[in-house]
Amino acid sequence: MPSHAAVPDHNELLTAVVETLRTELLPQVSGRSRYLLKACAAALEVVQRDLAAGTERRRVDGAVFAELGVPDERALVAEIRAGLAPDRFAAILAALGPRTEVELRVLGRDDRQAGPWSSGRQ
């Protein structure tokens, strides 16, 4: 019985599925099927990014939501939708900077200059 060096992790599995969809199946279809395959591959890439950011995003989110005095993203969104005073808007914008940095890093876009939200805190 051959020994296997390692079992693929979720990232490797998702990469293999996306690659198969894009390189093996996509060239063979057209029309609606092509659109659906592209949408499925893109959705899997979103899942892959979310999994990659998971631990760091949860840590950063906890700190951001605590700083803003809200329990979670849903509560923050509800507050924003209800309307914000300018000072609260500025505080939210500043607090979301570290979360934006995590997202940019996960997307592979951390080569940009530090943005206005960059405060050096984490």
Side-chain angles (χ1 to χ4, degrees):
M1 198 171 197
S3 78
H4 297 285
V7 175
D9 65 18
H10 65 267
N11 187 52
E12 293 166 330
L13 290 170
L14 286 168
T15 298
V17 170
V18 168
E19 184 177 313
T20 300
L21 290 174
R22 290 194 187 282
T23 62
E24 298 290 327
L25 300 176
L26 200 56
Q28 298 178 33
V29 297
S30 62
R32 181 164 170 72
S33 294
R34 184 174 180 80
Y35 168 79
L36 292 172
L37 275 174
K38 285 174 122 178
C40 289
L44 288 171
E45 289 172 328
V46 169
V47 169
Q48 190 173 25
R49 287 192 305 265
D50 284 349
L51 288 171
T55 303
E56 185 178 9
R57 182 185 288 143
R58 282 190 297 277
R59 180 184 59 77
V60 169
D61 281 356
V64 167
F65 299 143
E67 179 180 337
L68 293 173
V70 296
D72 55 27
E73 186 172 9
R74 189 168 283 186
L76 181 59
V77 168
E79 182 181 342
I80 292 168
R81 286 184 176 155
L84 300 169
D87 59 331
R88 180 64 173 164
F89 175 78
I92 290 172
L93 189 61
L96 288 175
R99 188 174 201 228
T100 302
E101 290 172 2
V102 169
E103 298 303 321
L104 290 171
R105 197 167 35 260
V106 169
L107 291 170
R109 297 184 179 152
D110 60 350
D111 59 337
R112 88 268 185 258
Q113 295 280 336
W117 55 79
S118 192
S119 62
R121 65 188 168 130
Q122 288 220 357

